[in-house]
Amino acid sequence: MTLRLEDIELIRQLKYRYSRGIDTGDMETVASLFAEDATIDYRGGSYHVQLQGRDAIVDILRGMFGPHFVGSHTMHMPEIEVLDDENATGVWTLLDYALNLAEGNKTTVGSAIYRDRYVKRDGRWLIAHSEYDRVYERVYHDPAPGLTAHFLATKAAS
């Protein structure tokens, strides 16, 4: 049982690193979290993104999470099931805020349910498949977002 609890904690940390990696534009970390043959299927009210392969996934995320972007993605209420020594699944609730300054302060606020599959390769848990469906999504243009800090712009400037 102890090993399974350790696996669950390692998978939790993996998902938390993913959220922090995209919000801070740390695509090196994000790339390290996906299996080479990973897939994603993100279904929102205003988009649908399906990709195959770690490189394709990281490329699209790199384009989205740059100096024009402000975001906060938090994962909650994990239900992780370790199926065997090399496979696990997870269900998560996402709460997110995204501000795209390049698109007239286009703001997305919402929630989604993630359903992920994980594989253990070379002793490390990785994301094999990640998908979500929106619980709700609100998209609007914020005329005055009032930013007093903007990490990705600061990172790009340094």
Side-chain angles (χ1 to χ4, degrees):
M1 179 56 103
T2 304
L3 184 57
R4 293 292 189 240
L5 291 176
E6 181 179 345
D7 286 334
I8 289 169
E9 179 59 24
L10 291 170
I11 292 167
R12 264 204 301 254
Q13 290 178 21
L14 168 74
K15 192 68 169 183
Y16 297 153
R17 266 189 217 99
Y18 168 78
S19 292
R20 187 175 53 255
I22 61 173
D23 287 341
T24 61
D26 183 354
M27 291 304 137
E28 188 175 310
T29 293
V30 171
S32 75
L33 305 175
F34 282 94
E36 190 173 331
D37 57 348
T39 57
I40 63 169
D41 188 1
Y42 297 157
R43 297 174 294 271
S46 60
Y47 60 89
H48 186 181
V49 178
Q50 290 179 292
L51 292 169
Q52 214 168 10
R54 175 181 55 219
D55 293 343
I57 294 166
V58 174
D59 283 348
I60 198 165
L61 293 173
R62 183 177 285 112
M64 294 168 61
F65 297 95
H68 64 282
F69 185 83
V70 176
S72 177
H73 296 77
T74 60
M75 302 296 170
H76 305 273
M77 303 182 311
E79 298 174 41
I80 299 166
E81 183 177 357
V82 179
L83 304 173
D84 58 40
D85 291 342
E86 296 178 348
N87 296 281
T89 60
V91 178
W92 300 81
T93 297
L94 163 73
L95 297 177
D96 66 328
Y97 169 88
L99 170 63
N100 188 329
L101 300 166
E103 292 186 24
N105 297 338
K106 180 179 175 183
T107 304
T108 304
V109 177
S111 176
I113 302 296
Y114 269 94
R115 287 176 172 66
D116 293 344
R117 282 186 290 107
Y118 309 100
V119 293
K120 191 181 238 184
R121 296 200 176 138
D122 297 321
R124 290 183 55 236
W125 285 103
L126 300 169
I127 300 167
H129 176 76
S130 183
E131 67 180 68
Y132 68 66
D133 289 295
R134 282 289 189 178
V135 173
Y136 80 94
E137 176 181 279
R138 180 172 181 249
V139 179
Y140 59 96
H141 290 273
D142 188 342
L147 295 176
T148 59
H150 181 191
F151 182 84
L152 290 175
T154 303
K155 179 181 174 184
S158 60

